[in-house]
Amino acid sequence: MKKNIFFALFSAMLLLTACQQHEIDSPADLGDGFTLVGHSDAQTKTAFGTPDASTIPFLWSEGDIIFVNGVESNPLSIGGASAEFTFSGGSVNEGDDVYYGLLDDDEVMVLPYQGGDPTDLVGDFGHAKVGQYNTFTLQHYTSYLWLNPYSTEVTGEGKKVSSVTIKAANNIVGKSKFDVTNKSFGVISSAIVDPEAPELAQTKELLLEFWGEGGAEPKDLPTASSDENIWAIAVVFPVITGEIEVIYNFEDGSMASYNHSTKTLEAGKTYRISQEINAEDLYTLKTLTFEDDDAEFAQYTLSYCSADISTWSDLIDQTQYSGDILYSGSQSEGDYYSWTDENNTFLAHHLPYNYGMYWYAGGGHAISNYVTGDYVTYGNYQYQLTVYNPNAGDEVVSEGGGHNGSDNFCVHFGYMDGSAYNYTEELPSIYFGDGTPRVIDHMWVANTVYALNCFGNGNSLTAAIQEGDKVYVTATGYDENDTQVGQCTIYLVNGPDNIVDKWVKWDLSSLGEVSRVDFNVLGTSDNGYGFSQPAYFAYDDVAVRFPIEPIE
């Protein structure tokens, strides 16, 4: 359906006129088909908060389709507040269920990417009962976020908005079954539209991209807040959102991010999110890719193993387990395996001091490029730095294993579970080598083949994943005073049917500005000696926010 905004008086006249034109119609059952007259529910007009000068009626659109008794209507030819839907087959009785936006199996899909166009609501869903004379009045059961940004400072070349990202603490998009008896949705799960694009499988994040007839069509920011014009609108499930973050992405690559308080969304209601965008809020993202072409650091030497480092690939050990670069070890502070993304994100890492020295046996973040399509054959500790890609073939190779088909990535090893058998003193971490706290926006993470094989098949140290088992990574952020400022978690395993087997995006922005982030792998598997699954995960493409300096 399309959704247009009118002044209250005009909208009331429009609905009244449309209803008078159609309510007297009483189409007969055609036997091999039928016609229904659908009305948009006047009760779903939404009064906004202060100021409250307008309402938003729901209008039928040309091309709309409804479903009755599993039969799909013909596309609507004329829209409006009420409309006639024709069916080429089937029959209908008073009291039958009418659905708008329903998939097979009583599922509703609210896509994680939408157009933001108030005249074309992607993912809108409604239900009704057939009444007398084959009429029905649709009620809406999804919710709507009305974005109302404005700015007098962010204008000019490159400052049109190309897209908006909306993030919530809880699931707001995906797919869910609709319970027609209780008029409610069940569990919201991922709506994977394209298996090759896992970012489309998000449930807590949606992207509004603005398009016109000729392709991408970025939008200007209004100079003032408006009660009458819908700048952009998003369809979401009616849930308690948790804190909402709205990110405005501009043509020139800059961004502005704003947090909004938790909203309890009700079915059929619209919620306005207003925001003044200031020039001082703009930032850009710089990304740590681990690719040799992006290496901007000065050459240095790992003296404990006499290795000269001038590219990221120089940090990859030729032997994955017990190789010279990662396992030679050192007891001297400053003489350890380390890397830095100097002159780019400034993120850095060095092996933590555990078990009497600096070595990978005590945990750390190792650069790698190993990948295979066979996680069973190579699913052991000898191949601890290898990730899985089903298209990589049956051997271990060194190309295409990273996020988005890149070559290099990083592998975390290490955990601290508090058991009497775990002697880890220092968790592996990344930190800003220049000492400036920043917001780490996100990174992409994946499981290693060693972990995947143990999750699926177990080994002599751990059982395979069972129902209720979980494996997760927790990131803990610290400020320049080493005070904890935030924590967030991503699940690598959530039962045997939910095991991450591709690169997935992990949003770290909720940590806020940090000087250091520690990572810990934990879970429910316990062999009597503490956490028993391999404490590994791979990560790549770490994005960091950099404020845009004002031009004097």
Side-chain angles (χ1 to χ4, degrees):
M1 291 185 73
K2 294 182 179 177
K3 202 177 186 188
N4 293 328
I5 188 164
F6 300 88
F7 286 109
L9 178 60
F10 179 69
S11 64
M13 291 173 60
L14 174 63
L15 289 171
L16 177 60
T17 303
C19 290
Q20 287 177 337
Q21 288 175 343
H22 291 282
E23 282 182 350
I24 59 173
D25 295 341
S26 53
D29 190 336
L30 303 178
D32 59 347
F34 56 92
T35 299
L36 292 179
V37 177
H39 301 288
S40 192
D41 181 14
Q43 298 304 312
T44 59
K45 291 182 187 176
T46 305
F48 294 88
T50 307
D52 189 9
S54 60
T55 61
I56 299 181
F58 291 82
L59 303 177
W60 295 111
S61 308
E62 181 181 344
D64 274 345
I65 292 172
I66 61 172
F67 295 85
V68 179
N69 297 327
V71 179
E72 179 179 312
S73 74
N74 298 312
L76 191 63
S77 57
I78 301 175
S82 62
E84 292 187 358
F85 289 89
T86 62
F87 291 74
S88 299
S91 61
V92 68
N93 297 299
E94 185 175 344
D96 284 347
D97 293 302
V98 180
Y99 294 100
Y100 175 81
L102 190 71
L103 302 177
D104 293 337
D105 261 347
D106 297 332
E107 284 188 325
V108 175
M109 182 183 292
V110 179
L111 293 176
Y113 61 93
Q114 300 175 24
D117 186 348
T119 66
D120 186 12
L121 292 179
V122 176
D124 192 16
F125 170 74
H127 170 263
K129 293 281 189 180
V130 176
Q132 282 187 314
Y133 311 119
N134 282 12
T135 62
F136 68 91
T137 301
L138 192 76
Q139 293 183 318
H140 296 258
Y141 288 96
T142 40
S143 301
Y144 314 91
L145 301 179
W146 170 8
L147 299 183
N148 180 41
Y150 56 97
S151 179
T152 57
E153 299 178 355
V154 183
T155 60
E157 185 176 353
K159 287 300 183 279
K160 288 187 176 183
V161 180
S162 56
S163 64
V164 179
T165 304
I166 301 174
K167 302 178 183 179
N170 299 318
N171 293 344
I172 56 173
V173 294
K175 62 182 178 181
S176 180
K177 287 199 172 185
F178 181 70
D179 184 338
V180 68
T181 302
N182 297 314
K183 304 294 190 297
S184 62
F185 292 103
V187 175
I188 300 170
S189 60
S190 171
I192 300 178
V193 179
D194 183 354
E196 299 302 316
E199 63 271 19
L200 301 181
Q202 297 287 340
T203 56
K204 298 179 181 179
E205 179 178 325
L206 72 90
L207 179 69
L208 299 181
E209 291 187 297
F210 305 123
W211 298 87
E213 292 182 0
E217 194 171 282
K219 297 171 70 76
D220 285 310
L221 286 172
T223 56
S225 176
S226 175
D227 296 331
E228 302 169 12
N229 298 309
I230 299 180
W231 184 81
I233 199 159
V235 182
V236 294
F237 283 107
V239 297
I240 300 175
T241 63
E243 188 175 76
I244 295 175
E245 180 183 16
V246 181
I247 303 171
Y248 297 89
N249 307 300
F250 296 92
E251 280 182 299
D252 62 2
S254 61
M255 304 174 180
S257 171
Y258 301 95
N259 292 324
H260 301 271
S261 60
T262 295
K263 297 184 182 299
T264 301
L265 307 181
E266 297 181 28
K269 297 295 181 68
T270 303
Y271 298 81
R272 184 167 60 175
I273 300 178
S274 297
Q275 181 64 55
E276 182 176 11
I277 297 179
N278 301 308
E280 64 182 17
D281 299 332
L282 298 180
Y283 63 87
T284 59
L285 293 181
K286 295 184 179 181
T287 303
L288 167 55
T289 67
F290 301 109
E291 298 301 308
D292 291 343
D293 288 345
D294 299 328
E296 298 187 29
F297 53 81
Q299 180 176 327
Y300 62 102
T301 300
L302 301 176
S303 58
Y304 67 90
C305 63
S306 301
D308 293 327
I309 309 298
S310 59
T311 69
W312 288 105
S313 293
D314 291 337
L315 288 156
I316 300 174
D317 221 333
Q318 297 306 301
T319 303
Q320 294 192 49
Y321 179 75
S322 200
D324 290 341
I325 293 180
L326 292 174
Y327 285 86
S328 291
S330 168
Q331 293 182 324
S332 302
E333 185 173 353
D335 185 20
Y336 37 49
Y337 180 91
S338 63
W339 51 257
T340 177
D341 190 29
E342 192 177 15
N343 299 316
N344 186 35
T345 65
F346 295 97
L347 285 171
H349 169 77
H350 65 75
L351 295 185
Y353 186 86
N354 288 312
Y355 304 100
M357 67 176 64
Y358 299 96
W359 59 330
Y360 199 61
H365 291 175
I367 309 304
S368 177
N369 60 8
Y370 299 109
V371 58
T372 182
D374 183 356
Y375 69 82
V376 176
T377 300
Y378 300 103
N380 59 70
Y381 68 90
Q382 298 282 357
Y383 299 94
Q384 62 179 343
L385 304 181
T386 303
V387 295
Y388 172 69
N389 183 332
N391 301 317
D394 296 334
E395 304 296 328
V396 175
V397 296
S398 299
E399 294 181 348
H403 170 243
N404 210 25
S406 64
D407 293 334
N408 294 350
F409 48 90
C410 193
V411 177
H412 164 104
F413 168 58
Y415 74 105
M416 187 183 293
D417 67 356
S419 72
Y421 303 97
N422 179 257
Y423 300 104
T424 301
E425 300 175 51
E426 182 183 347
L427 285 169
S429 66
I430 54 177
Y431 56 90
F432 287 104
D434 65 346
T436 302
R438 298 182 179 90
V439 175
I440 302 177
D441 191 85
H442 67 269
M443 63 169 55
W444 290 82
V445 300
N447 276 310
T448 65
V449 293
Y450 180 24
L452 284 173
N453 190 34
C454 288
F455 297 158
N457 303 306
N459 66 8
S460 61
L461 296 175
T462 192
I465 293 297
Q466 306 296 319
E467 287 294 337
D469 281 341
K470 303 178 189 299
V471 177
Y472 53 90
V473 185
T474 296
T476 305
Y478 296 86
D479 65 14
E480 61 270 30
N481 298 315
D482 210 33
T483 300
Q484 181 177 324
V485 294
Q487 198 168 69
C488 61
T489 296
I490 187 170
Y491 283 86
L492 302 177
V493 175
N494 193 356
D497 297 327
N498 293 286
I499 297 176
V500 171
D501 62 358
K502 59 175 69 71
W503 289 99
V504 295
K505 187 178 180 181
W506 186 10
D507 184 358
L508 297 171
S509 62
S510 63
L511 297 176
E513 287 193 344
V514 293
S515 292
R516 184 183 93 246
V517 178
D518 290 355
F519 296 92
N520 196 13
V521 182
L522 291 172
T524 56
S525 300
D526 190 328
N527 60 5
Y529 296 93
F531 177 60
S532 57
Q533 295 289 352
Y536 296 82
F537 73 95
Y539 68 88
D540 198 2
D541 289 345
V542 187
V544 177
R545 297 181 183 180
F546 282 78
I548 295 177
E549 298 296 331
I551 299 175
E552 299 295 339

